[in-house]
Amino acid sequence: MLLPSALCAGLGCSVEDLRRGEKISKRQAWRMIRRALRLTGRAGLGLEVGIRENLSRLGLAGLAMSAAPHLE
């Protein structure tokens, strides 16, 4: 099982930082995503995570996207 702390190791942020909503840089996010893909070995991980998301979590932008006929 992948531990969340393994994703944050050495990136200058902790799991608690993320839970508190602390912002991370694009570089930290990119490294975390690449690490998750490597450690899980699941190429479709982004799709698995994305299907659990709800557009309402994106606020006004999510509302606009949900009203659009096509999300392109």
Side-chain angles (χ1 to χ4, degrees):
M1 182 166 97
L2 178 64
L3 296 175
S5 59
L7 296 177
C8 294
L11 295 182
C13 63
S14 70
V15 175
E16 290 307 316
D17 292 337
L18 298 175
R19 287 186 178 138
R20 283 193 308 271
E22 298 285 329
K23 296 193 184 272
I24 61 173
S25 71
K26 290 179 185 177
R27 177 171 282 186
Q28 287 170 311
W30 179 241
R31 292 176 83 187
M32 196 177 295
I33 291 166
R34 287 187 7 218
R35 188 177 287 172
L37 290 170
R38 182 174 41 83
L39 292 173
T40 63
R42 293 158 62 182
L45 184 61
L47 294 174
E48 294 174 39
V49 171
I51 202 164
R52 296 179 190 176
E53 283 299 316
N54 186 329
L55 287 178
S56 66
R57 290 180 50 150
L58 298 176
L60 191 54
L63 178 63
M65 286 189 278
S66 67
H70 301 287
L71 288 174
E72 294 180 14

